[in-house]
Amino acid sequence: MHFSLIFVSMDKNQDLLNRRKLATLGGGKERIDKQHQQGKLTARERVTVLLDENSFEEIGSFVEHRATAFGLDKQRFPGDGVITGYGTIHGRLVYVFSQDFTVLGGSLSETHAAKICRIMDLAMKNGAPVIGLNDSGGARIQEGVVSLAGYADIFYRNTRASGVIPQISVIMGPCAGGAVYSPALTDFIFMVEETSYMFVTGPNVVKTVTHEEVTSEDLGGAKAHAEKSGVNHFTAANDVECLKKVRDLVTYLPQNAYELAPQPTIFNYTKSKLDQIGKILPENANIPYDIRKVVECVIDDESFREVQADYAKNIVVGFARIEGKTIGVVANQPSALAGVLDIDASRKGARFVRFCDSFNIPLLVFEDVPGFLPGTDQEWRGIITHGAKLLYAFSEATVPRITVITRKAYGGAFDVMNSKSIGADLNFAWPTAEIAVMGAKGAAEIIFKREIASAEDPQAKWLEKEAEYAEMFANPYRAAERGIVDDVILPEETRAKVIAGFKMLEKKAETLPKKKHGNIPL
Ligand code: HXC
């Protein structure tokens, strides 16, 4: 009697192990081989690369769909096309879902969606990031409306979780139709070159409706979304590189909106960078330079992680570290469109500022901006509304905020780029700063119009008046006299001033007026 009980229980244990094994096989060897031939890892391999070794704990591996129509009753796979669970990245808890393209094309069923929602709910309750690895043919066509409702359940949670826990979407295969809206609602999107694409409607529909012939890659591949739409924040050459980049990004982020980002105790700073920083700006204020060189000289060595590097290059945004602490950097880029603010740059900057503010990441702004981009294209597409996004985002931010004006700070763009009047805590200017309503040439033309027109030599008069205006305003001292900048500093003093400033602001506690939420000009 006693022995038979043991046998029964051993059989049951073996049965469990068999079931577990089956659950790891996804859609079977043939489909897994196809996935590999395409240069893609399987959903399970991806989770292994993403997380610390042996840290993954799976939830819901036996969940199956309940649908019967169109032969689905004969196509049941344990896990239902998505692997869900939790694990660690560099020892810190994260929640993960990984869609398995080998199971019914990774398509999203009612139960597949419920599994994703389950880990999102756990992530919210426990205050840890959610990372979604997307590789799916979209709504499971055989299930119809319940799969659409499943998507909506996810969108709802994405929105509720926004600003509470970091949400990262990694696109590692198809992501089409309404399925794109979950990644779009998350904080960062990673894409893999050649094997991933995102679009609301694919090439066939595009051809029917607009008669354009375009490939999936050109329409919605990593490059298109990195350069043209800005939807893609980080591009990788393959799955492994992509997942490593995700691991790296997570080290810059706090677990949730109530915590601070982790602070590595070891950091490097090459002191000779202090000698270089003053040599970056060209003599002539109209010659461009790469603002990233200035950023690199101020932050810890090799700590800069640029976000949306290939989109709206006239503004540079990204994470960095100062004495090990995560900061968000926003910088005008004089080497692209002279660093002017346009619609795309304003949207890019605003989104990044809001992320940092949501997650307690102090902001460091480098300013060299000649103004907003003029033209009918910008005006008719709404530079007024879009420019206001950046203004709103900075004005609303309550994290420590420091601005360093390296050169031009002209017009409305001066106000927008984290000026003290919109709540920046400290504003420094280099001796090369020019803080004025506009450049001296344009200013002279307007305010000395009559004098120039009536002069014997109008050109010479214009130059004379330009020099007069420049003498008055093409420097940081008028602003410093008024306390609009707090100090004029040497370039080589910048790092020390920024470190001291952020230390002073460490316990900054500022709250917004009580409200349901603001109405950012969307
Ligand atoms: C069910 C699907 C599926 C889907 C793919 N499969 N997409 N099953 N529902 N949505 C299955 C295929 O039948 C096939 O099964 C397997 O997945 C692999 O698909 P293939 O077509 O062989 O792969 P490939 O050639 O690589 O093409 C991938 C693909 C294509 C481009 C994604 O499968 C495709 O176009 N699928 C449909 C995409 C789509 O229209 N989805 C609905 C979008 S609308 P077998 O058994 O042969 O391996 C949407 C609405 C969301 O998602 C709304 C939210 C608001």
Side-chain angles (χ1 to χ4, degrees), residues 65 67-76 104 140-143:
H65 69 73
T68 52
F70 301 106
L72 273 186
D73 51 339
K74 291 181 195 70
Q75 291 193 75
R76 289 162 67 105
L104 296 163
R140 190 165 300 162
I141 295 163
Q142 299 91 324
E143 282 205 11

Side-chain angles (χ1 to χ4, degrees), residues 383-420:
I383 181 74
I384 296 172
T385 307
H386 297 293
K389 290 186 167 101
L390 187 56
L391 179 55
Y392 190 106
F394 273 126
S395 301
E396 182 190 42
T398 56
V399 287
R401 297 198 257 146
I402 299 178
T403 304
V404 179
I405 302 170
T406 59
R407 202 166 62 175
K408 294 169 190 159
Y410 290 166
F414 159 75
D415 283 344
V416 170
M417 286 303 293
N418 202 36
S419 61
K420 275 178 61 188

Side-chain angles (χ1 to χ4, degrees), residues 9-230:
S9 107
M10 274 182 63
D11 284 349
K12 287 194 172 173
N13 288 353
Q14 191 53 50
D15 177 48
L16 168 63
L17 296 179
N18 293 344
R19 282 170 185 266
R20 273 193 189 159
K21 192 159 179 214
L22 190 68
T24 61
L25 295 179
K29 187 173 176 321
E30 206 176 297
R31 292 191 184 96
I32 289 174
D33 288 346
K34 191 174 166 199
Q35 182 91 346
H36 284 156
Q37 277 154 19
Q38 290 173 339
K40 291 158 69 177
L41 297 178
T42 65
R44 240 164 239 288
E45 288 163 347
R46 286 171 178 159
V47 171
T48 309
V49 176
L50 176 69
L51 299 178
D52 296 342
E53 210 176 336
N54 295 325
S55 74
F56 182 54
E57 297 291 342
E58 191 166 351
I59 294 175
S61 61
F62 297 131
V63 170
E64 290 183 11
H65 69 73
R66 297 181 285 269
T68 52
F70 301 106
L72 273 186
D73 51 339
K74 291 181 195 70
Q75 291 193 75
R76 289 162 67 105
F77 298 86
D80 202 28
V82 63
I83 295 161
T84 52
Y86 61 96
T88 57
I89 291 182
H90 300 293
R92 296 161 70 224
L93 176 67
V94 295
Y95 291 83
V96 183
F97 68 85
S98 179
Q99 292 181 310
D100 185 348
F101 192 80
T102 69
V103 173
L104 296 163
S107 57
L108 186 131
S109 67
E110 184 184 19
T111 43
H112 178 128
K115 283 183 70 178
I116 294 175
C117 290
R118 163 107 171 98
I119 66 132
M120 292 181 78
D121 292 343
L122 280 170
M124 279 290 274
K125 283 184 201 158
N126 295 289
V130 174
I131 301 168
L133 311 182
N134 295 260
D135 189 357
S136 166
R140 190 165 300 162
I141 295 163
Q142 299 91 324
E143 282 205 11
V145 71
V146 291
S147 79
L148 297 186
Y151 268 120
D153 288 336
I154 297 170
F155 302 156
Y156 176 75
R157 282 167 175 76
N158 285 136
T159 309
R160 292 292 164 117
S162 181
V164 183
I165 49 172
Q167 300 181 81
I168 296 171
S169 297
V170 193
I171 316 300
M172 312 191 89
C175 182
V180 296
Y181 286 111
S182 172
L185 290 165
T186 63
D187 298 304
F188 297 107
I189 295 181
F190 287 72
M191 291 187 77
V192 183
E193 279 167 356
E194 307 291 339
T195 50
S196 73
Y197 53 83
M198 297 177 81
F199 35 66
V200 173
T201 50
N204 291 341
V205 179
V206 169
K207 191 173 172 196
T208 312
V209 178
T210 70
H211 309 295
E212 289 168 287
E213 297 239 14
V214 65
T215 62
S216 292
E217 183 66 19
D218 285 347
L219 181 64
K223 196 169 150 62
H225 284 310
E227 292 174 5
K228 294 187 199 303
S229 71

Side-chain angles (χ1 to χ4, degrees), residues 330 346 349-355 357-358 363 365 372 386-403 412-425 508 510-513 515 518-521:
V330 180
S346 302
R351 184 167 165 76
F352 184 72
V353 166
R354 296 193 100 215
F355 177 84
D357 189 47
S358 298
L363 288 162
V365 174
F372 280 97
H386 297 293
K389 290 186 167 101
L390 187 56
L391 179 55
Y392 190 106
F394 273 126
S395 301
E396 182 190 42
T398 56
V399 287
R401 297 198 257 146
I402 299 178
T403 304
F414 159 75
D415 283 344
V416 170
M417 286 303 293
N418 202 36
S419 61
K420 275 178 61 188
S421 305
I422 62 165
D425 298 292
K508 179 183 175 188
E510 190 189 347
T511 44
L512 296 174
K515 55 180 141 179
N519 188 14
I520 187 167

Side-chain angles (χ1 to χ4, degrees), residues 233-288:
H233 298 90
F234 299 99
T235 302
N238 55 54
D239 282 13
V240 172
E241 185 190 291
C242 188
L243 296 163
K244 290 198 165 151
K245 282 190 174 187
V246 176
R247 283 177 65 83
D248 178 60
L249 177 70
V250 168
T251 67
Y252 283 78
L253 310 181
Q255 290 293 89
N256 56 59
Y258 311 104
E259 293 182 20
L260 294 174
Q263 189 182 347
T265 43
I266 299 168
F267 64 89
N268 293 314
Y269 183 75
T270 307
K271 286 231 166 75
S272 59
K273 292 199 292 196
L274 293 177
D275 306 328
Q276 294 159 23
I277 187 168
K279 297 177 192 149
I280 297 169
L281 260 64
E283 288 279 314
N284 181 337
N286 294 321
I287 305 277

